[in-house]
Amino acid sequence: MKPLFLSIAADQISYDNNENFTDRKSYTFNSELELKENLELFKKQIHNSIDAIVITSQGESQLKENIFNYQNKKVDFANALENVFHVPVINNIEETENEDLTELVEKETKYSAWHLDYYGLDHGKRQYGQESMQTIGNGYFGLRGTYLEAKADDDNYPGTYVAGVFNQLGTPINGRNIINEDLVNLPNAQYVTFKIDDGEYFKIDENLIKESLRSLDMKTGVLTITQLIELADGKKLKVIEKKVADLNNFHDYYLQYSIQPLNFSGKIKILTEIDATVTNTNVERYRNLANKHLATDEIKNDNKTQLLFAHTNQSNIKIGIKAAIDYQNINNPSYAVDNGPEVASQTIEFDGKEGQIYTFEKAVAIFTSLETQKNLPEIIQKHQFQPDFETAENSAQLAWKDIWKKENIVVAGDITAQKLLHLNSYSMTCAAQTKANENLDVSIGSRGLTGEGYRGHIFWDELFDMNFYVLHSPKLVKALLMYRYNRLGAAMDYASDDDFQGAMYPWQSGMYGDEQSQEVHLNPITNKWDPDNSRKQRHVSLAVAYNVLTYYNISQDEEFMQEFGLEILLNIAKLWISMAQLDENTGRYSIKNVMGPDEFHEGYPGKDNEGLKNNAYTNIMVSWLFKKLAQLLKDQPSDVASENLQRSRFTSQDVEKLDDIRQNLKLDFKDDILGQFEGYFDLKRLDFEKYRQQYGNISRMDRILKAHNDSPDNYQVAKQADTLMALFNLREEDFFQIMDDLGYPVKNTDKFMNDNIKYYIERTTHGSTLSRIVYSMLLSRIDDDKTAWKLFYEALTSDYYDIQGGTTAEGIHLGVMGATLSVVTSVFAGVDTRGDTLEINPNVPEQWEEIDFNINFKGANIAFQITQDTATIRSDKDLDVKYTDKNLPLTANQEIELTY
Ligand code: BGC
């Protein structure tokens, strides 16, 4: 082991490679800088490679090691150093020398890999963001990681969301009644607080909280919040609160609240509520819009059980919440209940003795009429909870163990990446998991169930997540795709409203599958509502088709394809047939009035409402879909194919058109650069530097330009990958085959890749978290590993550091999380599951020693261990694997090792 020894003081770090500090050096903090920036400068000073950091000074916290003062605030130095050095940080103070460093390092490596900790209180959007990150959930509900004692205010937002519970409200804006459909913030049943004697009920207040540690254990799904409290009158207490979601009985979550008077004895009164006065106010810019979605119907409350019934005031979803309370070590408590019109509250009062720990427990079940159509009141009244928190905690641990067995991606050599890959899988599971989703008619919103950003809507972002889900839980993906199948009718209505045929899925989908995109969008720079044309992103239907085909390829679920999948595909194809217009003179087809994934381009300069013509991404994906579909129709038994054609009203002329259109859609080129859309090359380039100097962060160039009465429509500037998204989705050989099919053969494919990737990245501001991860994948294809790694890391840490400066407050970004996991397995480990045969072509970043994981592929479960120069593969079924164009037959349960 090569440790670096550190001693931390208020204004500097002393360090040495040996624990006796015989060659002591130091780094003095620059007080103008944030700790992270200082540590990055400090890192530059360290020339030799290290694999652990040992802090030898005594920390300043009772709750966690390695907490030190930095600029008058106590900070978790272990965390901060790990985030910069990516190696484990331990504490071994000089007095307790001789502890086994290797053991301590191993312990910390494990701890850090599985814990997302926040030491101390934060404020505003930062704390909101941390709550989003520490959400617990199970696919059915998400419960934000708020302090139990908090009510919604500027620093705390105790949101509760159940998948699919949407409601619409209207708000007058600029003389129009604008209707918005929101994922509803449900009654807050996680509220628990206390008071001592005749004092006030305790509220989250940094003057009273001397220390606090919020620790999410991703391995077991338990969030633990510990606080050392000193009340205004000097009374000290320690409070430990825990939350856990039940993954099997997915209606339920459990709370445990332990309170310990440290320097006094007195009356302790615990207050807990189900609070239905809550509104949707997580997103600051929506706060002036109508936000009261719930009407309370009935409250029933006895000493130990609370019931609250409510409904959403437009969609009329019935909601029932049951809470059961219990306690340990509390003698002769006195109960009281109090029902306000919208709040069920209970108190327990008892005599507290100095030093004793009193434990209060609350179990909560949420039912809605969406999944519980019959007898909701009866079912909820009869509903039984697990006997206590500990049992619930143990069963959650077992359920998570099963999940991690399937989806754990282990990377060796980078403690930060390991933590965040766990966080991404954890968040993906909280957003959707088979046990719940099999029973639900829902899909995944772009923010999961962690906040109200984008109103909980479902976008094309599904495409970035499905690959991860399907490799680990194919059944889950089937359930998610059924959300789309069940809304095929709505998509057909949407198409016919626009005078098209087939199915046009909405850009933003909620409850009914109709279009839920906003018509106006608030520009925070000007505070004005600008028109929003993002709904013209018709490519969302291509993402749905892509997901159906990804699922089918990996699961080989014929039944799904025959009953549902083919019908979805045929209807989507029908849309594009009806959108494609033939120019008789050129024999080429054009698709007009669309937008690509780059949301900066809503149309041509000065033309507000016509969208764009021949968006390359759209046209290429249409061509790809038509080819796949034609093949699929041939491969299916003829009765199945014809039954599906009939059901989808897909005529023989339509079948013929598939071939004609897919070979003749129009693309635009300048030399070998593929134009984002027709006319793209007529646009001006933008001087990024000029704006960077004025604004610093220029990622939302659209807002900046609009604030200058200008428009991104006028320039070659993109929010995210657009043209090149086709190369993210498709295998290179398929992509170039399509270019051939379209009559635009590419002779030098390497040059094409190089030129196009470089061309577009220079014109992209990464205004969406979905951008960097796509470019990371693309750059690694052209061997720019350095930039690929940089962008990968920015994508990996995007919610952790809230790189968009406040959007994590409104919920995590599930798309980038899923895509990041996917890039690790498909690009870095190089396991490509998009073809008929599994292909392997590893490209492990030099920063990592090894990547281990399992996947499902065509009924086989395959384990991979990929290092810098070897790949060890073991499948539980016979299987062919393609490696550098050679087919390697794998025999069931026999490990093979490739050296490359
Ligand atoms: C991105 C879209 C994405 C949406 C929801 C936007 O910022 O540009 O591609 O679908 O966020 O995540």
Side-chain angles (χ1 to χ4, degrees), residues 533-534 536-537 594-605 611-612 615 676-677 680 683-684 702 706 711-720 722 763:
N533 282 323
S534 58
K536 289 185 191 287
Q537 290 183 73
V594 296
M595 279 172 66
D598 163 25
E599 299 197 320
F600 286 178
H601 283 103
E602 297 188 310
Y604 289 100
L612 300 166
N615 168 250
Q676 188 170 316
F677 46 81
Y680 178 82
L683 305 180
K684 294 174 273 191
D702 55 332
K706 284 177 187 168
S711 160
D713 289 343
N714 299 329
Y715 303 96
Q716 293 178 353
V717 53
K719 184 180 184 186
Q720 65 206 90
D722 189 303
R763 289 163 173 78

Short mmCIF file of all heavy atoms in Angstrom, two decimals, residues 533-534 536-537 594-605 611-612 615 676-677 680 683-684 702 706 711-720 722 763:
data_model
loop_
_atom_site.label_atom_id
_atom_site.label_comp_id
_atom_site.label_asym_id
_atom_site.label_seq_id
_atom_site.Cartn_x
_atom_site.Cartn_y
_atom_site.Cartn_z
N ASN A 533 -41.88 24.99 -28.29
CA ASN A 533 -42.27 24.09 -29.39
C ASN A 533 -41.72 22.69 -29.23
O ASN A 533 -41.73 21.90 -30.17
CB ASN A 533 -41.75 24.65 -30.72
CG ASN A 533 -42.60 25.80 -31.21
OD1 ASN A 533 -43.81 25.77 -31.06
ND2 ASN A 533 -41.97 26.82 -31.76
N SER A 534 -41.22 22.38 -28.03
CA SER A 534 -40.49 21.12 -27.87
C SER A 534 -41.32 19.90 -28.26
O SER A 534 -40.78 18.84 -28.58
CB SER A 534 -39.97 20.97 -26.44
OG SER A 534 -41.04 21.04 -25.54
N LYS A 536 -42.58 19.29 -30.87
CA LYS A 536 -42.29 18.84 -32.25
C LYS A 536 -41.21 17.76 -32.30
O LYS A 536 -40.82 17.31 -33.37
CB LYS A 536 -41.86 20.03 -33.11
CG LYS A 536 -43.00 20.98 -33.42
CD LYS A 536 -42.56 22.08 -34.35
CE LYS A 536 -43.60 23.18 -34.45
NZ LYS A 536 -44.78 22.77 -35.22
N GLN A 537 -40.76 17.35 -31.14
CA GLN A 537 -39.78 16.26 -31.11
C GLN A 537 -40.50 14.93 -31.31
O GLN A 537 -40.65 14.12 -30.40
CB GLN A 537 -39.01 16.27 -29.79
CG GLN A 537 -38.08 17.46 -29.69
CD GLN A 537 -37.26 17.44 -28.43
OE1 GLN A 537 -36.34 16.65 -28.29
NE2 GLN A 537 -37.62 18.30 -27.51
N VAL A 594 -40.53 19.01 -37.80
CA VAL A 594 -40.12 18.25 -36.60
C VAL A 594 -38.96 18.98 -35.91
O VAL A 594 -38.42 19.95 -36.44
CB VAL A 594 -39.63 16.82 -36.96
CG1 VAL A 594 -40.75 16.00 -37.56
CG2 VAL A 594 -38.42 16.85 -37.88
N MET A 595 -38.62 18.50 -34.74
CA MET A 595 -37.39 18.92 -34.06
C MET A 595 -36.58 17.67 -33.76
O MET A 595 -37.16 16.62 -33.47
CB MET A 595 -37.71 19.59 -32.72
CG MET A 595 -38.12 21.04 -32.80
SD MET A 595 -38.68 21.60 -31.16
CE MET A 595 -37.18 21.51 -30.18
N GLY A 596 -35.26 17.81 -33.78
CA GLY A 596 -34.42 16.71 -33.33
C GLY A 596 -34.24 16.81 -31.82
O GLY A 596 -34.83 17.68 -31.17
N PRO A 597 -33.39 15.96 -31.25
CA PRO A 597 -33.17 16.03 -29.79
C PRO A 597 -32.59 17.36 -29.32
O PRO A 597 -32.76 17.74 -28.16
CB PRO A 597 -32.17 14.90 -29.54
CG PRO A 597 -32.35 13.95 -30.68
CD PRO A 597 -32.74 14.79 -31.86
N ASP A 598 -31.89 18.08 -30.21
CA ASP A 598 -31.34 19.38 -29.83
C ASP A 598 -32.48 20.38 -29.69
O ASP A 598 -33.01 20.88 -30.68
CB ASP A 598 -30.35 19.83 -30.91
CG ASP A 598 -30.07 21.32 -30.81
OD1 ASP A 598 -30.21 21.88 -29.70
OD2 ASP A 598 -29.71 21.93 -31.85
N GLU A 599 -32.83 20.68 -28.45
CA GLU A 599 -34.01 21.51 -28.21
C GLU A 599 -33.78 22.99 -28.51
O GLU A 599 -34.72 23.78 -28.45
CB GLU A 599 -34.46 21.36 -26.75
CG GLU A 599 -34.85 19.95 -26.40
CD GLU A 599 -35.68 19.87 -25.14
OE1 GLU A 599 -35.36 20.60 -24.18
OE2 GLU A 599 -36.63 19.06 -25.11
N PHE A 600 -32.52 23.36 -28.78
CA PHE A 600 -32.29 24.77 -29.12
C PHE A 600 -32.92 25.14 -30.47
O PHE A 600 -33.27 26.28 -30.71
CB PHE A 600 -30.79 25.07 -29.19
CG PHE A 600 -30.09 25.15 -27.86
CD1 PHE A 600 -28.72 25.37 -27.80
CD2 PHE A 600 -30.78 25.01 -26.66
CE1 PHE A 600 -28.06 25.46 -26.58
CE2 PHE A 600 -30.13 25.08 -25.44
CZ PHE A 600 -28.76 25.31 -25.39
N HIS A 601 -33.01 24.16 -31.36
CA HIS A 601 -33.55 24.47 -32.69
C HIS A 601 -35.00 24.07 -32.80
O HIS A 601 -35.34 22.91 -32.96
CB HIS A 601 -32.72 23.77 -33.78
CG HIS A 601 -31.44 24.48 -34.03
ND1 HIS A 601 -30.24 24.03 -33.56
CD2 HIS A 601 -31.18 25.65 -34.65
CE1 HIS A 601 -29.30 24.90 -33.88
NE2 HIS A 601 -29.84 25.88 -34.55
N GLU A 602 -35.82 25.12 -32.69
CA GLU A 602 -37.26 24.84 -32.75
C GLU A 602 -37.81 25.07 -34.15
O GLU A 602 -38.93 24.72 -34.45
CB GLU A 602 -38.00 25.75 -31.77
CG GLU A 602 -37.58 25.49 -30.33
CD GLU A 602 -38.44 26.24 -29.34
OE1 GLU A 602 -38.62 27.46 -29.52
OE2 GLU A 602 -38.93 25.61 -28.40
N GLY A 603 -37.01 25.77 -34.98
CA GLY A 603 -37.48 26.06 -36.33
C GLY A 603 -36.41 26.83 -37.08
O GLY A 603 -35.28 26.96 -36.60
N TYR A 604 -36.79 27.34 -38.24
CA TYR A 604 -35.84 28.13 -39.04
C TYR A 604 -35.87 29.59 -38.59
O TYR A 604 -36.87 30.05 -38.03
CB TYR A 604 -36.21 28.00 -40.53
CG TYR A 604 -35.89 26.62 -41.04
CD1 TYR A 604 -36.88 25.65 -41.17
CD2 TYR A 604 -34.57 26.27 -41.33
CE1 TYR A 604 -36.57 24.37 -41.59
CE2 TYR A 604 -34.25 24.98 -41.76
CZ TYR A 604 -35.25 24.05 -41.88
OH TYR A 604 -34.93 22.78 -42.29
N PRO A 605 -34.77 30.32 -38.83
CA PRO A 605 -34.71 31.71 -38.38
C PRO A 605 -35.96 32.49 -38.78
O PRO A 605 -36.39 32.42 -39.94
CB PRO A 605 -33.47 32.25 -39.12
CG PRO A 605 -32.61 31.05 -39.35
CD PRO A 605 -33.54 29.90 -39.52
N GLY A 611 -41.21 24.23 -37.48
CA GLY A 611 -40.27 23.16 -37.16
C GLY A 611 -39.15 23.09 -38.18
O GLY A 611 -38.85 24.08 -38.86
N LEU A 612 -38.55 21.92 -38.30
CA LEU A 612 -37.40 21.74 -39.18
C LEU A 612 -37.71 20.66 -40.20
O LEU A 612 -38.56 19.80 -39.98
CB LEU A 612 -36.18 21.31 -38.35
CG LEU A 612 -35.75 22.31 -37.28
CD1 LEU A 612 -34.79 21.65 -36.31
CD2 LEU A 612 -35.12 23.54 -37.92
N ASN A 615 -34.62 16.35 -40.35
CA ASN A 615 -33.70 16.20 -39.23
C ASN A 615 -32.98 14.85 -39.41
O ASN A 615 -33.63 13.81 -39.54
CB ASN A 615 -34.50 16.22 -37.92
CG ASN A 615 -33.68 15.79 -36.72
OD1 ASN A 615 -33.88 14.72 -36.16
ND2 ASN A 615 -32.72 16.60 -36.34
N GLN A 676 -27.40 18.62 -39.47
CA GLN A 676 -28.40 18.29 -38.44
C GLN A 676 -29.82 18.31 -39.03
O GLN A 676 -30.67 17.55 -38.61
CB GLN A 676 -28.26 19.28 -37.29
CG GLN A 676 -29.10 18.95 -36.08
CD GLN A 676 -28.73 19.83 -34.89
OE1 GLN A 676 -27.56 20.05 -34.60
NE2 GLN A 676 -29.74 20.35 -34.22
N PHE A 677 -30.02 19.23 -39.99
CA PHE A 677 -31.31 19.28 -40.71
C PHE A 677 -31.06 20.04 -42.00
O PHE A 677 -29.97 20.61 -42.18
CB PHE A 677 -32.41 19.94 -39.87
CG PHE A 677 -31.98 21.22 -39.20
CD1 PHE A 677 -31.94 22.43 -39.90
CD2 PHE A 677 -31.56 21.23 -37.87
CE1 PHE A 677 -31.53 23.60 -39.29
CE2 PHE A 677 -31.13 22.40 -37.24
CZ PHE A 677 -31.12 23.59 -37.96
N TYR A 680 -29.12 23.57 -42.29
CA TYR A 680 -28.27 23.79 -41.11
C TYR A 680 -27.00 24.55 -41.48
O TYR A 680 -26.56 25.45 -40.76
CB TYR A 680 -27.91 22.44 -40.48
CG TYR A 680 -26.99 22.53 -39.29
CD1 TYR A 680 -27.50 22.83 -38.03
CD2 TYR A 680 -25.62 22.34 -39.42
CE1 TYR A 680 -26.65 22.93 -36.92
CE2 TYR A 680 -24.77 22.43 -38.32
CZ TYR A 680 -25.30 22.73 -37.08
OH TYR A 680 -24.46 22.82 -35.99
N LEU A 683 -26.71 28.36 -41.41
CA LEU A 683 -26.73 29.12 -40.15
C LEU A 683 -25.33 29.60 -39.79
O LEU A 683 -24.33 29.00 -40.19
CB LEU A 683 -27.29 28.26 -39.02
CG LEU A 683 -28.67 27.66 -39.25
CD1 LEU A 683 -29.09 26.83 -38.03
CD2 LEU A 683 -29.70 28.74 -39.53
N LYS A 684 -25.31 30.68 -38.98
CA LYS A 684 -24.01 31.24 -38.58
C LYS A 684 -23.41 30.44 -37.43
O LYS A 684 -24.14 29.80 -36.68
CB LYS A 684 -24.22 32.69 -38.08
CG LYS A 684 -24.66 33.65 -39.15
CD LYS A 684 -24.98 35.01 -38.55
CE LYS A 684 -26.43 35.05 -38.07
NZ LYS A 684 -27.01 36.28 -37.70
N ASP A 702 -29.71 28.94 -25.18
CA ASP A 702 -31.03 29.35 -25.69
C ASP A 702 -31.58 30.52 -24.87
O ASP A 702 -32.04 31.52 -25.41
CB ASP A 702 -32.00 28.16 -25.68
CG ASP A 702 -32.14 27.49 -24.31
OD1 ASP A 702 -31.19 27.54 -23.51
OD2 ASP A 702 -33.21 26.91 -24.04
N LYS A 706 -32.08 34.38 -26.13
CA LYS A 706 -33.42 34.96 -26.09
C LYS A 706 -33.42 36.24 -25.25
O LYS A 706 -34.14 37.19 -25.56
CB LYS A 706 -34.44 33.95 -25.59
CG LYS A 706 -34.78 32.92 -26.67
CD LYS A 706 -35.73 31.85 -26.19
CE LYS A 706 -35.89 30.77 -27.26
NZ LYS A 706 -36.55 29.57 -26.77
N SER A 711 -32.03 34.41 -31.12
CA SER A 711 -32.58 33.05 -31.00
C SER A 711 -31.53 32.03 -31.43
O SER A 711 -30.80 32.26 -32.39
CB SER A 711 -33.81 32.95 -31.90
OG SER A 711 -34.07 31.59 -32.17
N PRO A 712 -31.49 30.90 -30.72
CA PRO A 712 -30.55 29.86 -31.14
C PRO A 712 -30.88 29.31 -32.54
O PRO A 712 -30.04 28.71 -33.17
CB PRO A 712 -30.70 28.76 -30.08
CG PRO A 712 -31.98 29.04 -29.39
CD PRO A 712 -32.26 30.50 -29.54
N ASP A 713 -32.13 29.55 -32.99
CA ASP A 713 -32.50 29.11 -34.34
C ASP A 713 -31.55 29.70 -35.39
O ASP A 713 -31.43 29.15 -36.48
CB ASP A 713 -33.93 29.56 -34.68
CG ASP A 713 -34.97 28.79 -33.90
OD1 ASP A 713 -34.63 27.72 -33.35
OD2 ASP A 713 -36.12 29.26 -33.81
N ASN A 714 -30.94 30.83 -35.04
CA ASN A 714 -30.10 31.52 -36.04
C ASN A 714 -28.69 30.94 -36.13
O ASN A 714 -27.92 31.39 -36.98
CB ASN A 714 -29.96 33.00 -35.66
CG ASN A 714 -31.31 33.69 -35.65
OD1 ASN A 714 -32.19 33.31 -36.42
ND2 ASN A 714 -31.49 34.69 -34.79
N TYR A 715 -28.34 30.03 -35.26
CA TYR A 715 -26.92 29.64 -35.16
C TYR A 715 -26.71 28.13 -35.19
O TYR A 715 -27.61 27.35 -34.88
CB TYR A 715 -26.32 30.18 -33.86
CG TYR A 715 -26.44 31.67 -33.75
CD1 TYR A 715 -27.49 32.23 -33.03
CD2 TYR A 715 -25.51 32.50 -34.38
CE1 TYR A 715 -27.62 33.61 -32.94
CE2 TYR A 715 -25.63 33.88 -34.28
CZ TYR A 715 -26.69 34.43 -33.57
OH TYR A 715 -26.82 35.78 -33.48
N GLN A 716 -25.47 27.79 -35.46
CA GLN A 716 -25.05 26.38 -35.33
C GLN A 716 -24.66 26.16 -33.87
O GLN A 716 -23.48 26.14 -33.54
CB GLN A 716 -23.86 26.10 -36.25
CG GLN A 716 -24.23 26.18 -37.72
CD GLN A 716 -23.03 25.95 -38.63
OE1 GLN A 716 -21.90 25.86 -38.17
NE2 GLN A 716 -23.29 25.87 -39.92
N VAL A 717 -25.65 26.02 -33.04
CA VAL A 717 -25.37 25.78 -31.62
C VAL A 717 -26.38 24.74 -31.12
O VAL A 717 -27.56 24.82 -31.43
CB VAL A 717 -25.47 27.08 -30.79
CG1 VAL A 717 -26.79 27.80 -30.99
CG2 VAL A 717 -25.25 26.80 -29.29
N ALA A 718 -25.87 23.74 -30.40
CA ALA A 718 -26.77 22.66 -29.99
C ALA A 718 -26.74 22.48 -28.48
O ALA A 718 -25.71 22.66 -27.83
CB ALA A 718 -26.37 21.36 -30.67
N LYS A 719 -27.89 22.11 -27.94
CA LYS A 719 -28.00 21.83 -26.52
C LYS A 719 -27.36 20.47 -26.20
O LYS A 719 -26.76 20.27 -25.15
CB LYS A 719 -29.49 21.79 -26.16
CG LYS A 719 -29.80 21.59 -24.70
CD LYS A 719 -31.32 21.58 -24.50
CE LYS A 719 -31.70 21.47 -23.04
NZ LYS A 719 -33.15 21.32 -22.84
N GLN A 720 -27.52 19.53 -27.12
CA GLN A 720 -27.07 18.16 -26.86
C GLN A 720 -26.88 17.44 -28.20
O GLN A 720 -27.22 17.97 -29.24
CB GLN A 720 -28.11 17.44 -26.02
CG GLN A 720 -29.45 17.23 -26.70
CD GLN A 720 -30.60 17.11 -25.72
OE1 GLN A 720 -31.20 18.12 -25.36
NE2 GLN A 720 -30.90 15.91 -25.28
N ASP A 722 -27.41 15.52 -31.39
CA ASP A 722 -28.61 15.38 -32.20
C ASP A 722 -28.32 14.41 -33.34
O ASP A 722 -28.58 13.20 -33.20
CB ASP A 722 -29.02 16.78 -32.71
CG ASP A 722 -30.37 16.79 -33.37
OD1 ASP A 722 -30.55 16.04 -34.34
OD2 ASP A 722 -31.26 17.54 -32.94
N ARG A 763 -19.79 22.60 -31.38
CA ARG A 763 -20.98 23.45 -31.49
C ARG A 763 -22.02 23.11 -30.40
O ARG A 763 -23.17 23.52 -30.49
CB ARG A 763 -21.60 23.25 -32.88
CG ARG A 763 -20.75 23.89 -33.98
CD ARG A 763 -21.12 23.35 -35.35
NE ARG A 763 -20.42 24.07 -36.41
CZ ARG A 763 -19.15 23.88 -36.74
NH1 ARG A 763 -18.41 23.00 -36.08
NH2 ARG A 763 -18.58 24.59 -37.70
#
